[in-house]
Amino acid sequence: MDGNSFVDLARKAINVFLEEKEIILPPNPLPEEMNKTNGVFVTLKRGATLRGCIGTILPTQPNLGAEIIFNAISAATRDPRFSPVKSGEINKLEIIVDLLTEPEQVFSMEAYDPNKQGVIVQQDEKRGLVLPETDDVDTSEQQVNLARQRAGIGPEDLVDLFIFDVTRYIG
């Protein structure tokens, strides 16, 4: 099983949920690559246009397979920025599965590369996240400002800054 199996699992989870209103189970036996826990983001795009993106910073499910299934269905049906994906639409979508490492705190925007690492800004209960290689984000300052905006944190407010690495699978 390779990284494409992560994308295949996400696509199957969305398809079955949209067609049959059922949540699939992770493969059994669970492949070695899925027998771990990670934060996962699933992004759906139609051409260059974002169609949905939902994820977890830290794992919430017992294994990577379950995390991908949960977040894939959520990206297709629960992203508040978009109407739910329709069953006939799924084959026209590009699916991106991002596996996140555990976030680590940094104390400077110069400490990381926004094209290779994601960022989390946090102020008390407010938290914003931006994945690496986000459209129209070329610098760590732009990435942090977008994360602040998503969290509703002002540009001058003090924040804790965390970064994480991403392994990306596209299909």
Side-chain angles (χ1 to χ4, degrees):
M1 190 172 247
D2 59 16
N4 284 335
S5 61
F6 299 143
V7 172
D8 292 344
L9 180 62
R11 189 175 300 279
K12 180 179 179 183
I14 294 168
N15 258 329
V16 170
F17 187 80
L18 294 178
E19 294 285 333
E20 303 171 22
K21 301 295 184 233
E22 292 184 14
I23 299 173
I24 64 171
L25 296 173
N28 187 9
L30 196 64
E32 185 177 332
E33 299 82 27
M34 291 189 190
N35 197 16
K36 58 183 179 176
T37 57
N38 281 81
V40 172
F41 270 74
V42 176
T43 303
L44 309 176
K45 287 188 168 185
R46 187 166 183 169
T49 304
L50 182 65
R51 187 63 181 85
C53 181
I54 296 283
T56 47
I57 296 169
L58 297 172
T60 62
Q61 303 296 315
N63 58 61
L64 187 54
E67 199 82 34
I68 291 169
I69 291 166
F70 179 80
N71 290 336
I73 293 169
S74 294
T77 63
R78 296 188 191 112
D79 189 326
R81 300 170 292 179
F82 305 97
S83 62
V85 170
K86 296 188 178 6
S87 61
E89 188 180 0
I90 186 65
N91 292 329
K92 299 172 186 159
L93 297 179
E94 176 181 69
I95 297 178
I96 303 165
V97 176
D98 288 320
L99 308 184
L100 282 58
T101 61
E102 188 168 334
E104 67 177 71
Q105 189 166 13
V106 294
F107 299 95
S108 164
M109 284 188 277
E110 290 77 35
Y112 75 98
D113 181 347
N115 293 308
K116 296 180 181 172
Q117 295 164 303
V119 69
I120 301 164
V121 296
Q122 185 170 334
Q123 179 193 55
D124 301 322
E125 299 301 313
K126 295 179 182 178
R127 182 168 46 196
L129 178 144
V130 177
L131 294 167
E133 298 181 35
T134 296
D135 293 341
D136 300 323
V137 173
D138 299 313
T139 67
S140 55
E141 185 176 348
Q142 290 171 328
Q143 192 181 40
V144 167
N145 288 340
L146 181 56
R148 284 175 173 276
Q149 180 183 357
R150 289 179 177 177
I153 299 171
E156 303 302 321
D157 293 340
L158 292 177
V159 294
D160 291 319
L161 190 63
F162 300 86
I163 60 169
F164 54 90
D165 292 324
V166 170
T167 304
R168 179 165 285 170
Y169 302 96
I170 303 173

